[in-house]
Short mmCIF file of all heavy atoms in Angstrom, two decimals:
data_model
loop_
_atom_site.label_atom_id
_atom_site.label_comp_id
_atom_site.label_asym_id
_atom_site.label_seq_id
_atom_site.Cartn_x
_atom_site.Cartn_y
_atom_site.Cartn_z
N ARG A 301 154.93 -92.49 73.84
CA ARG A 301 155.09 -93.70 74.68
C ARG A 301 154.44 -93.76 76.07
O ARG A 301 153.92 -94.63 76.57
CB ARG A 301 156.58 -94.18 74.75
CG ARG A 301 157.46 -93.20 75.57
CD ARG A 301 158.78 -93.51 75.73
NE ARG A 301 159.49 -93.48 74.34
CZ ARG A 301 160.69 -93.94 74.11
NH1 ARG A 301 161.37 -94.48 75.06
NH2 ARG A 301 161.28 -93.70 72.89
N VAL A 335 156.86 -86.91 70.09
CA VAL A 335 157.93 -87.82 70.20
C VAL A 335 159.26 -86.89 70.24
O VAL A 335 159.38 -86.30 69.40
CB VAL A 335 158.02 -88.78 69.01
CG1 VAL A 335 159.39 -89.68 69.04
CG2 VAL A 335 156.75 -89.64 68.90
N LEU A 337 163.11 -86.54 70.21
CA LEU A 337 164.21 -87.33 69.71
C LEU A 337 165.45 -86.86 70.42
O LEU A 337 165.77 -85.57 70.31
CB LEU A 337 164.42 -87.02 68.19
CG LEU A 337 163.12 -87.54 67.33
CD1 LEU A 337 163.45 -87.11 65.95
CD2 LEU A 337 162.79 -88.96 67.46
N GLY A 338 166.08 -87.66 71.15
CA GLY A 338 167.36 -87.33 71.89
C GLY A 338 168.47 -87.58 70.84
O GLY A 338 168.26 -87.93 69.68
N ALA A 339 169.59 -87.37 71.32
CA ALA A 339 170.93 -87.46 70.54
C ALA A 339 170.93 -89.08 70.14
O ALA A 339 170.82 -89.92 71.01
CB ALA A 339 172.18 -86.98 71.18
N ARG A 340 171.29 -89.44 68.94
CA ARG A 340 171.33 -90.66 68.52
C ARG A 340 172.77 -91.20 68.69
O ARG A 340 173.75 -90.62 68.17
CB ARG A 340 170.90 -90.88 66.99
CG ARG A 340 171.03 -92.26 66.49
CD ARG A 340 170.20 -92.33 65.11
NE ARG A 340 170.61 -91.31 64.19
CZ ARG A 340 171.49 -91.53 63.24
NH1 ARG A 340 172.16 -92.56 63.08
NH2 ARG A 340 171.71 -90.62 62.39
N PRO A 341 173.01 -92.30 69.42
CA PRO A 341 174.34 -92.81 69.67
C PRO A 341 174.96 -93.21 68.37
O PRO A 341 174.33 -93.58 67.33
CB PRO A 341 174.10 -94.11 70.47
CG PRO A 341 172.79 -93.89 71.05
CD PRO A 341 171.97 -93.03 70.17
N GLY A 343 176.61 -94.95 65.36
CA GLY A 343 176.43 -96.25 64.84
C GLY A 343 175.00 -96.81 64.97
O GLY A 343 174.61 -97.85 64.33
N GLN A 344 174.15 -96.10 65.79
CA GLN A 344 172.74 -96.64 65.91
C GLN A 344 171.93 -96.29 64.63
O GLN A 344 172.02 -95.20 64.20
CB GLN A 344 172.04 -96.02 67.00
CG GLN A 344 170.73 -96.55 67.46
CD GLN A 344 170.06 -95.81 68.43
OE1 GLN A 344 169.49 -94.68 68.36
NE2 GLN A 344 169.96 -96.45 69.64
N PRO A 345 171.38 -97.28 64.00
CA PRO A 345 170.56 -96.98 62.88
C PRO A 345 169.41 -96.05 63.16
O PRO A 345 168.85 -95.99 64.20
CB PRO A 345 169.88 -98.38 62.45
CG PRO A 345 170.02 -99.17 63.68
CD PRO A 345 171.17 -98.60 64.51
N VAL A 346 169.06 -95.28 61.96
CA VAL A 346 168.08 -94.20 62.09
C VAL A 346 166.65 -94.97 62.30
O VAL A 346 166.36 -95.81 61.57
CB VAL A 346 168.04 -93.39 61.00
CG1 VAL A 346 166.83 -92.29 60.94
CG2 VAL A 346 169.37 -92.64 60.83
N GLY A 347 165.85 -94.47 63.33
CA GLY A 347 164.50 -95.19 63.60
C GLY A 347 163.51 -94.47 62.51
O GLY A 347 163.76 -93.35 62.02
N ARG A 348 162.41 -95.27 62.20
CA ARG A 348 161.46 -94.76 61.35
C ARG A 348 160.14 -94.84 62.15
O ARG A 348 159.93 -95.81 62.92
CB ARG A 348 161.35 -95.58 60.05
CG ARG A 348 162.59 -95.52 59.21
CD ARG A 348 162.31 -96.49 58.01
NE ARG A 348 161.19 -96.05 57.18
CZ ARG A 348 160.87 -96.85 56.18
NH1 ARG A 348 161.36 -97.99 56.00
NH2 ARG A 348 159.74 -96.39 55.47
N GLY A 349 159.21 -93.92 62.00
CA GLY A 349 157.89 -94.00 62.69
C GLY A 349 157.53 -92.62 63.07
O GLY A 349 158.23 -91.64 63.06
N GLY A 350 156.30 -92.62 63.49
CA GLY A 350 155.64 -91.38 64.04
C GLY A 350 155.06 -91.51 65.38
O GLY A 350 155.19 -92.61 65.99
N GLU A 354 154.71 -94.88 67.97
CA GLU A 354 155.43 -94.98 69.17
C GLU A 354 154.48 -95.14 70.29
O GLU A 354 154.76 -95.67 71.41
CB GLU A 354 156.13 -93.58 69.33
CG GLU A 354 157.04 -93.46 70.68
CD GLU A 354 158.39 -93.09 70.45
OE1 GLU A 354 158.99 -93.10 69.33
OE2 GLU A 354 158.97 -92.58 71.44
N LEU A 357 153.99 -98.84 70.53
CA LEU A 357 155.18 -99.56 71.23
C LEU A 357 155.10 -99.38 72.64
O LEU A 357 155.26 -100.29 73.31
CB LEU A 357 156.47 -98.79 70.64
CG LEU A 357 156.96 -99.27 69.33
CD1 LEU A 357 158.31 -98.53 69.09
CD2 LEU A 357 157.20 -100.80 69.17
N ASP A 380 151.65 -91.25 59.26
CA ASP A 380 152.29 -91.32 60.61
C ASP A 380 153.63 -90.78 60.61
O ASP A 380 154.68 -91.41 60.24
CB ASP A 380 152.25 -92.64 61.32
CG ASP A 380 152.64 -92.58 62.80
OD1 ASP A 380 152.59 -91.48 63.40
OD2 ASP A 380 153.09 -93.62 63.28
N GLY A 381 153.79 -89.37 60.98
CA GLY A 381 155.10 -88.74 60.80
C GLY A 381 155.40 -88.58 59.25
O GLY A 381 154.66 -87.86 58.73
N VAL A 382 156.46 -89.23 58.82
CA VAL A 382 156.74 -89.01 57.33
C VAL A 382 156.76 -90.32 56.66
O VAL A 382 157.38 -90.37 55.51
CB VAL A 382 158.11 -88.27 57.17
CG1 VAL A 382 158.08 -86.80 57.70
CG2 VAL A 382 159.33 -89.03 57.91
N GLU A 383 156.27 -91.30 57.28
CA GLU A 383 156.19 -92.63 56.62
C GLU A 383 154.96 -92.88 55.84
O GLU A 383 154.20 -91.98 55.59
CB GLU A 383 156.26 -93.67 57.75
CG GLU A 383 157.44 -93.56 58.69
CD GLU A 383 158.86 -93.61 58.04
OE1 GLU A 383 158.88 -94.16 56.98
OE2 GLU A 383 159.68 -93.01 58.52
N ASP A 407 164.52 -102.11 72.24
CA ASP A 407 165.47 -101.65 71.19
C ASP A 407 164.88 -100.70 70.27
O ASP A 407 165.27 -99.59 70.00
CB ASP A 407 166.15 -102.74 70.50
CG ASP A 407 167.20 -103.41 71.43
OD1 ASP A 407 167.54 -102.91 72.47
OD2 ASP A 407 167.76 -104.46 70.93
N HIS A 408 163.67 -101.09 69.74
CA HIS A 408 163.00 -100.28 68.79
C HIS A 408 162.47 -99.01 69.37
O HIS A 408 162.41 -97.94 68.84
CB HIS A 408 161.74 -101.08 68.20
CG HIS A 408 162.20 -102.14 67.07
ND1 HIS A 408 162.24 -101.89 65.76
CD2 HIS A 408 162.73 -103.30 67.27
CE1 HIS A 408 162.67 -102.97 65.11
NE2 HIS A 408 162.98 -103.81 66.06
N LEU A 409 161.98 -99.10 70.69
CA LEU A 409 161.48 -97.94 71.39
C LEU A 409 162.55 -96.96 71.72
O LEU A 409 162.52 -95.73 71.48
CB LEU A 409 160.80 -98.38 72.72
CG LEU A 409 159.93 -97.37 73.38
CD1 LEU A 409 158.78 -96.77 72.44
CD2 LEU A 409 159.25 -98.03 74.61
N ASP A 410 163.74 -97.49 72.02
CA ASP A 410 164.92 -96.64 72.35
C ASP A 410 165.34 -95.88 71.02
O ASP A 410 165.77 -94.58 71.11
CB ASP A 410 166.16 -97.36 72.81
CG ASP A 410 165.98 -97.94 74.14
OD1 ASP A 410 165.07 -97.42 74.88
OD2 ASP A 410 166.72 -98.76 74.56
N ARG A 411 165.23 -96.30 69.90
CA ARG A 411 165.63 -95.54 68.69
C ARG A 411 164.43 -95.17 67.82
O ARG A 411 164.55 -94.81 66.72
CB ARG A 411 166.65 -96.53 67.74
CG ARG A 411 165.99 -97.67 67.23
CD ARG A 411 166.97 -98.40 66.32
NE ARG A 411 166.38 -99.52 65.48
CZ ARG A 411 166.47 -100.74 65.90
NH1 ARG A 411 167.10 -101.11 67.06
NH2 ARG A 411 165.93 -101.78 65.23
N HIS A 412 163.23 -95.11 68.54
CA HIS A 412 161.99 -94.57 67.79
C HIS A 412 161.72 -95.25 66.51
O HIS A 412 161.47 -94.59 65.55
CB HIS A 412 162.20 -93.02 67.64
CG HIS A 412 162.53 -92.33 68.85
ND1 HIS A 412 161.67 -92.13 70.03
CD2 HIS A 412 163.63 -91.72 69.23
CE1 HIS A 412 162.22 -91.51 70.94
NE2 HIS A 412 163.58 -91.12 70.58
N ASP A 413 161.78 -96.55 66.49
CA ASP A 413 161.62 -97.35 65.23
C ASP A 413 160.43 -98.24 65.31
O ASP A 413 160.40 -99.41 65.14
CB ASP A 413 162.86 -98.26 64.99
CG ASP A 413 162.81 -98.85 63.55
OD1 ASP A 413 162.29 -98.36 62.73
OD2 ASP A 413 163.26 -100.08 63.54
N ALA A 414 159.30 -97.46 65.44
CA ALA A 414 158.02 -98.23 65.37
C ALA A 414 157.68 -98.76 64.17
O ALA A 414 157.11 -99.94 64.08
CB ALA A 414 156.88 -97.29 65.85
N TYR A 415 158.15 -98.14 63.07
CA TYR A 415 157.78 -98.66 61.66
C TYR A 415 158.46 -100.02 61.39
O TYR A 415 157.72 -100.93 60.96
CB TYR A 415 158.25 -97.64 60.74
CG TYR A 415 157.76 -98.02 59.31
CD1 TYR A 415 156.76 -97.32 58.71
CD2 TYR A 415 158.47 -98.85 58.55
CE1 TYR A 415 156.27 -97.65 57.30
CE2 TYR A 415 158.07 -99.28 57.21
CZ TYR A 415 156.93 -98.45 56.65
OH TYR A 415 156.52 -98.84 55.31
N GLY A 416 159.78 -100.07 61.84
CA GLY A 416 160.52 -101.29 61.63
C GLY A 416 159.83 -102.53 62.53
O GLY A 416 159.87 -103.57 62.01
N PHE A 417 159.45 -102.18 63.64
CA PHE A 417 158.82 -103.19 64.57
C PHE A 417 157.48 -103.72 64.01
O PHE A 417 157.45 -104.99 63.83
CB PHE A 417 158.58 -102.58 65.90
CG PHE A 417 158.18 -103.60 66.97
CD1 PHE A 417 159.00 -104.39 67.62
CD2 PHE A 417 156.76 -103.66 67.25
CE1 PHE A 417 158.53 -105.23 68.67
CE2 PHE A 417 156.26 -104.58 68.21
CZ PHE A 417 157.34 -105.38 68.89
#
Side-chain angles (χ1 to χ4, degrees):
R301 66 179 68 189
V335 176
L337 301 176
R340 182 163 52 93
Q344 184 184 81
V346 177
R348 299 175 63 192
E354 183 133 336
L357 282 178
D380 187 22
V382 296
E383 304 302 336
D407 288 349
H408 284 264
L409 197 52
D410 287 345
R411 65 176 187 267
H412 308 289
D413 187 32
Y415 189 98
F417 183 85

